[in-house]
Amino acid sequence: MDFHPTEEQAAAADLAARIFRDLATHERLAAAGTGSDAELWKALTAAGLTAAVEEIGLLGLVLLLEEQGRTTAQVPYAATCAYGILPVAAHGSAEQRARLLPALGSGEAVATGAFPARGRITASPDGRLTGTAPVVPWLRDATHVLLPDSERVLWLVRTDAPGVGTPEVETTAPWSAGRLTLAGAEAERLGDGRAYEEVLATARTAFAGLQAGVCAGSLARAVAYTSTREQFGRPLSTNQGVMLRAADAYMDTEAIRVTAYEAAWRIDEGLPAREHALTAAWWASEAGKRVVHAGQHLHGGMGADLDHPVHRHFLWGRQLDAYLGCGSELLAELGALLSDHAAPEGDDA
């Protein structure tokens, strides 16, 4: 394993860090609410950071999503790359790649996905979809939605197609979410029978990388606050309890990061990675929840202020925990997968 970024990946991450740092300010984030920051999205796409994902791979994307998570930048970057650029590049036909990748890379098209499969979407023989996806992230901004049907066949549907409904659903999510309803909506198939598991592993890894950044940003704010906030004549950071809590949060953040890196590296190398993506998702869900709670608690009373920047990290961390799936659900899936691999061939036990 080699997690060292290539020159191209490092340059892209540095550029992303500068753009997010300059534009994803607390004032702009507060003004954006649950909507996208159009100026920031334009800056990212103009800099080529969306189109570049096809070249720098999933590990490169994870590095960029870490930078987004540090600032909780309000753009549909993870969704467009995980459910648009990478799946189309890997599983699309030559015609689909030529038609969709330029639009996705330029920001003209925005993708999202309804994953994992919940068995609510059915497809007719002529490729028309019917059913409901209850909560789809960034649906308000999306032009295309990638979703599996009940047979785990992947379909790409335009949000402006006849038979597609996208009523807005106000949730506690910090990003715009919506309910996707399909009534005989025309869709195009993407990839073969292997595509679903590969896209799901890619998405889980990408969102785990985003969670690593959210946690790193939360911890950085907590360290800065406790280093300057004094109690009884000395900084809070000199108290052993504070130091231990911050140390635990740091170790959890590093665990999220390294498991996301490993899963991304394996996927980029074409190695089996379903277990590794599930492991990354579990760490991002369980440890991510602990870290953002710690970040808020270490701010004391300030952490209860909904207008304080650290609250955005708390909200993102909890919503990514929910989106990735609760820890017990992910562990059950991982256990079943490992059990299937361990069972002797022909053993039905």
Side-chain angles (χ1 to χ4, degrees):
M1 292 180 289
D2 183 5
F3 299 157
H4 290 93
T6 64
E7 184 177 344
E8 293 78 9
Q9 289 170 338
D14 288 342
L15 178 57
R18 290 200 299 272
I19 293 175
F20 286 130
R21 185 172 57 248
D22 291 345
L23 293 181
T25 63
H26 176 57
E27 294 73 22
R28 292 176 62 88
L29 290 169
T34 60
S36 293
D37 185 330
E39 182 180 347
L40 175 54
W41 183 236
K42 184 178 180 180
L44 286 172
T45 55
L49 290 175
T50 308
V53 171
E54 188 181 352
E55 299 298 327
I56 63 177
L58 182 55
L59 182 55
L61 174 60
V62 166
L63 294 172
L64 270 61
L65 290 176
E66 277 192 78
E67 300 303 333
Q68 180 186 1
R70 289 179 198 275
T71 58
T72 60
Q74 201 73 6
V75 285
Y77 190 52
T80 292
C81 294
Y83 295 126
I85 290 178
L86 290 178
V88 171
H91 303 289
S93 65
E95 186 277 330
Q96 286 174 321
R97 292 194 298 271
R99 171 167 47 88
L100 295 170
L101 288 176
L104 290 166
S106 68
E108 178 186 349
V110 174
T112 188
F115 281 73
R118 301 296 186 187
R120 296 187 175 98
I121 307 295
T122 59
S124 66
D126 61 349
R128 293 185 177 275
L129 306 183
T130 299
T132 303
V135 181
V136 181
W138 296 107
L139 184 59
R140 189 186 308 166
D141 300 301
T143 58
H144 295 76
V145 182
L146 183 67
L147 68 163
D149 63 19
S150 56
E151 302 298 322
R152 298 192 172 183
V153 174
L154 292 189
W155 301 89
L156 198 62
V157 60
R158 288 188 60 93
T159 55
D160 60 357
V164 177
T166 58
E168 291 187 9
V169 178
E170 287 300 323
T171 70
T172 57
W175 49 80
S176 57
R179 178 183 295 112
L180 180 70
T181 59
L182 305 168
E186 186 176 347
E188 57 181 310
R189 182 168 175 170
L190 186 75
D192 55 23
R194 301 188 308 272
Y196 170 77
E197 294 295 350
E198 293 178 9
V199 172
L200 179 58
T202 294
R204 281 172 164 161
T205 303
F207 282 97
L210 182 61
Q211 182 76 303
V214 170
C215 292
S218 174
L219 182 58
R221 290 189 181 278
V223 169
Y225 178 80
T226 57
S227 297
T228 56
R229 173 71 170 174
E230 291 190 359
Q231 189 176 58
F232 305 117
R234 62 177 186 172
L236 288 172
S237 59
T238 60
N239 293 318
Q240 188 178 44
V242 172
M243 288 189 285
L244 291 173
R245 190 77 187 275
D248 286 342
Y250 174 78
M251 294 303 295
D252 274 337
T253 301
E254 288 302 296
I256 299 169
R257 177 180 288 117
V258 74
T259 52
Y261 283 7
E262 181 182 14
W265 177 82
R266 291 184 67 89
I267 290 172
D268 283 343
E269 293 295 314
L271 300 172
R274 284 183 62 192
E275 299 96 327
H276 303 81
L278 272 166
T279 301
W282 181 83
W283 273 104
S285 176
E286 286 289 293
K289 181 167 49 182
R290 290 196 296 266
V291 173
V292 296
H293 273 265
Q296 192 171 44
H297 290 167
L298 288 174
H299 278 76
M302 295 297 294
D305 183 358
L306 300 186
D307 295 324
H308 194 282
V310 76
H311 181 70
R312 294 188 61 84
H313 292 273
F314 175 79
L315 195 55
W316 276 64
R318 289 309 307 260
Q319 282 294 333
L320 284 169
D321 160 42
Y323 185 66
L324 287 163
C326 67
S328 58
E329 180 183 20
L330 292 167
L331 279 182
E333 186 178 345
L334 179 59
L337 184 60
L338 294 175
S339 177
D340 288 343
H341 289 342
E345 198 170 316
D347 186 356
D348 295 331

